[in-house]
Amino acid sequence: MKPRILYTKPSITDREVTYATDAAANGWGERCYDYINRFEAAFAAHLGTTHAISTSSCTGALHMGLAALGVGPGDEVILADTLDGVCRADRSPRRKTGLRRRAC
């Protein structure tokens, strides 16, 4: 197995722990949108735009991004082979768009 290259070290403060604890305890069902709506409003303000769209998962974000780019059947995406066996969030969006994956 090839040695892994670490891209970044996590930075977790008490603030993140508080948010994660609250989300786990109270953010289920319809309450999950409280966090999503707050994030979208804050991110839009940060960017100086009216709207921002977020998702609750990497899979959803990948699907939305591929759809926005007009990716469809017969198109191909090239991913680093360091993701093999680690990240599979691309499976569902690939199936839904007809995209082919190629590791390099």
Side-chain angles (χ1 to χ4, degrees):
M1 179 176 191
K2 297 178 185 177
R4 293 184 184 259
I5 299 172
L6 301 177
Y7 300 109
T8 186
K9 182 179 178 182
S11 172
I12 300 172
T13 67
D14 288 341
R15 183 179 188 181
E16 286 82 16
V17 171
T18 299
Y19 282 153
T21 301
D22 182 61
N26 305 305
W28 299 102
E30 291 188 19
R31 291 264 345 260
C32 76
Y33 296 105
D34 294 346
Y35 280 98
I36 292 171
N37 293 334
R38 282 176 29 205
F39 176 78
E40 288 175 347
F43 194 59
H46 175 75
L47 295 175
T49 188
T50 307
H51 303 285
I53 298 173
S54 65
T55 68
S56 60
S57 70
C58 178
T59 303
L62 286 170
H63 187 198
M64 190 167 58
L66 292 169
L69 291 170
V71 172
D75 290 332
E76 184 175 80
V77 66
I78 299 172
L79 300 173
D81 63 0
T82 55
L83 297 176
D84 284 344
V86 176
C87 177
R88 286 320 216 188
D90 67 314
R91 282 184 179 169
S92 178
R94 281 189 295 115
R95 288 185 188 129
K96 290 180 179 181
T97 60
L99 184 67
R100 290 177 298 163
R101 178 182 188 266
R102 179 191 299 180
C104 65

